[in-house]
Amino acid sequence: MPELPEVEIVRLSLSKNIIGKKINKVLIRNRNLRFKLKFSFEKHLKNKFVIKIYRFSKYLIIELNDKSFCIIHLGMSGTIHILKKNKKNVYTNTSFYHSPNLPKKHNHVEIFFNDLTLVYNDPRRFGFFQIVKNKENLTNRFKNYGPEPFDKNFNLDYMVNYFKDKKKDIKSFLLDQKFVSGIGNIYANEILYLSKINPKNSVKKLKKTQFKLLIKNSKKVLLNAIKKGGSTIRDFKNTLGDIGNFQKEFKVYGRQKLNCLRPNCTGVITKIVQSNRSTFLCKLCQK
């Protein structure tokens, strides 16, 4: 599943290509996504102008000129492709998952502009589109989500109060969108490694100094991933022919049985399973 940095890369790509442009037509080839697309979807988007594109957590939010919003979630396998008129795109994918080129199957939604077409591809169909008619409804849509790691409200006081009387392990909290929005499994592993915290540690055993490290390193890891263009688990190039490079900087994720990269540590990276997800750690320096 695309995590916050990958979705931010998509937002940046779309912002460069469709802001200020008019939606001429919408074609739905398959309405059966995670939430079935309503028959009013095409009518709502047609003839609207794209004003701005936001991202919250792992969601893309397109603001339209009637002050409504179109929310897009890429699910497990969703990708958005840009097809420019009169130009043979070598690479069409705006994100860093699956083929860099537009696949022949599973192209469920097409949004037409004067000079280009956006195509939503999703083999597993866990992604979705949702129309929200005003800012108040948009705020309510995300009211149960925690702050993003970049939010000023994601601070020591928030973390201490949230963890009060709780016993769950710290990695589960990092993946819980009600606690903090946008962190997925890859980056949770990297954040905990950088903070020298064992993923299985109960939050009640952690100290304030460790909370501060988690706050600092959540920002550091995610910002670095965005800077590096997202993480490419498979061989992939985006619409500019660039690959996501953050995977080259993984310190722990996917490195089971390899030596720990921390200076002066003689440990070996171990893979365990927590809540049906892969966890990678160095038991020697993540105590």
Side-chain angles (χ1 to χ4, degrees), residues 60-279:
L60 290 166
I61 304 169
I62 300 176
E63 182 179 355
L64 303 171
N65 64 306
D66 65 346
K67 298 184 179 180
S68 67
F69 303 87
C70 178
I71 298 174
I72 304 174
H73 192 279
L74 300 173
M76 298 292 292
S77 61
T79 51
I80 296 175
H81 297 258
I82 295 178
L83 304 180
K84 295 185 178 180
K85 286 186 178 181
N86 304 319
K87 184 177 180 181
K88 292 185 179 180
N89 298 59
V90 178
Y91 305 113
T92 62
N93 199 339
T94 59
S95 67
F96 292 87
Y97 285 79
H98 308 291
S99 171
N101 305 303
L102 180 67
K104 294 181 179 180
K105 296 181 179 180
H106 310 297
N107 296 316
H108 306 310
V109 179
E110 297 183 27
I111 301 175
F112 297 85
F113 298 83
N114 283 335
D115 59 340
L116 59 85
T117 302
L118 294 186
V119 180
Y120 177 72
N121 180 279
D122 192 350
R124 299 182 70 179
R125 291 187 284 117
F126 285 157
F128 65 84
F129 290 71
Q130 180 182 9
I131 298 297
V132 177
K133 293 189 175 181
N134 54 57
K135 190 66 174 288
E136 182 180 357
N137 289 347
L138 181 67
T139 300
N140 289 334
R141 173 66 176 77
F142 296 110
K143 66 180 181 181
N144 293 323
Y145 284 72
E148 288 195 344
F150 306 127
D151 194 313
K152 64 180 181 180
N153 293 318
F154 188 61
N155 54 39
L156 182 60
D157 287 340
Y158 170 76
M159 196 170 279
V160 170
N161 290 329
Y162 196 96
F163 289 156
K164 188 177 180 180
D165 299 324
K166 292 185 173 69
K167 301 178 181 179
K168 195 163 58 174
D169 66 84
I170 182 57
K171 190 191 175 194
S172 294
F173 275 108
L174 290 180
L175 297 178
D176 186 348
Q177 301 302 297
K178 292 180 180 179
F179 167 60
V180 57
S181 296
I183 297 176
N185 193 47
I186 292 175
Y187 298 109
N189 278 279
E190 294 297 311
I191 291 164
L192 289 165
Y193 175 81
L194 194 59
S195 303
K196 294 185 178 181
I197 296 174
N198 191 302
K200 297 191 295 183
N201 281 354
S202 168
V203 293
K204 72 176 183 179
K205 295 182 179 180
L206 298 181
K207 301 176 182 179
K208 287 185 179 181
T209 52
Q210 292 174 302
F211 292 162
K212 290 179 180 179
L213 282 173
L214 288 171
I215 294 166
K216 175 185 175 182
N217 290 329
S218 293
K219 294 178 174 65
K220 183 176 180 179
V221 168
L222 294 174
L223 283 172
N224 192 32
I226 293 169
K227 182 180 178 181
K228 297 294 182 180
S231 299
T232 305
I233 303 304
R234 306 182 186 187
D235 184 17
F236 177 81
K237 294 184 178 182
N238 68 359
T239 55
L240 299 176
D242 300 324
I243 64 170
N245 284 311
F246 188 71
Q247 75 283 355
K248 296 178 182 178
E249 298 192 17
F250 285 166
K251 305 298 183 188
V252 64
Y253 187 85
R255 299 193 68 254
Q256 64 270 28
K257 297 182 181 180
L258 297 178
N259 292 335
C260 176
L261 295 176
R262 203 183 307 276
N264 302 318
C265 181
T266 58
V268 174
I269 303 303
T270 300
K271 177 182 177 181
I272 61 173
V273 177
Q274 288 179 279
S275 302
N276 297 317
R277 291 174 180 264
S278 297
T279 294

